[in-house]
Amino acid sequence: MNAKNDAISQVQVYNTKSNTCTLLSHSMPIAGSHRRAALLEKTVILVGSDGCFLYDLDAGTWQERRQFKTGNTYFGMVIENGQVFVFGGGTAITDAGGKSMWTCSDDVRCIPVKNVLEDKAIEWRHHAKLSRRSLVFSCEKIEL
């Protein structure tokens, strides 16, 4: 998202050696916001409440996975032991007066990463509960 909270389709790549950001030459097929990314070998898995995209680093191509969506935003995501884990997150509900209220989750859900890569049907499996309902703004690899 940009400063005006618009959905964007551009992706920035951060180079840790030169401490610089550059725009990826291939934009995402569909603009979006609040997506999370994880690297699996030479594939970036980009997930949001609206769907999933795979970016092949070698080929420079995008693939869409519409059935793979989380249904919420501000969630954490990691890939571990052949599973994609999604934890926490929430959804905003706006009342008639325009006031937004967040409903947060304490769920830790997972699916086999193989199902995402092979574009198979997705059914989230409950894995655990967080100690409290949480919006997650960033994460690293964790041990569950």
Side-chain angles (χ1 to χ4, degrees):
M1 292 182 68
N2 61 19
K4 294 188 276 185
N5 291 329
D6 296 327
I8 58 171
S9 61
Q10 295 176 324
V11 177
Q12 292 183 346
V13 177
Y14 176 68
N15 184 320
T16 57
K17 291 181 182 176
S18 65
N19 194 29
T20 59
C21 283
T22 56
L23 285 179
L24 193 64
S25 59
H26 298 77
S27 295
M28 289 184 289
I30 297 173
S33 60
H34 301 105
R35 292 178 176 151
R36 301 294 188 252
L39 180 64
L40 180 69
E41 298 172 8
K42 294 287 187 164
T43 301
V44 177
I45 300 175
L46 191 64
V47 178
S49 62
D50 57 347
C52 171
F53 296 96
L54 307 181
Y55 184 75
D56 184 310
L57 293 170
D58 290 334
T61 57
W62 290 97
Q63 294 179 28
E64 187 175 5
R65 301 289 191 261
R66 296 295 273 165
Q67 81 281 6
F68 180 50
K69 48 182 120 182
T70 62
N72 59 8
T73 58
Y74 296 116
F75 56 89
M77 183 179 80
V78 295
I79 297 174
E80 179 68 29
N81 294 327
Q83 300 286 315
V84 177
F85 290 91
V86 171
F87 48 95
T91 55
I93 300 169
T94 305
D95 65 19
K99 182 179 178 184
S100 291
M101 177 180 244
W102 281 90
T103 301
C104 299
S105 172
D106 59 358
D107 285 337
V108 178
R109 301 174 287 157
C110 64
I111 56 161
V113 70
K114 181 178 178 182
N115 288 16
V116 177
L117 297 175
E118 296 177 0
D119 204 13
K120 293 184 177 181
I122 302 297
E123 185 172 325
W124 288 101
R125 183 177 63 85
H126 174 78
H127 181 76
K129 291 278 188 190
L130 298 173
S131 59
R132 66 179 188 216
R133 296 175 183 272
S134 304
L135 297 179
V136 181
F137 293 91
S138 67
C139 65
E140 294 183 29
K141 188 173 177 179
I142 60 171
E143 297 293 326
L144 297 174

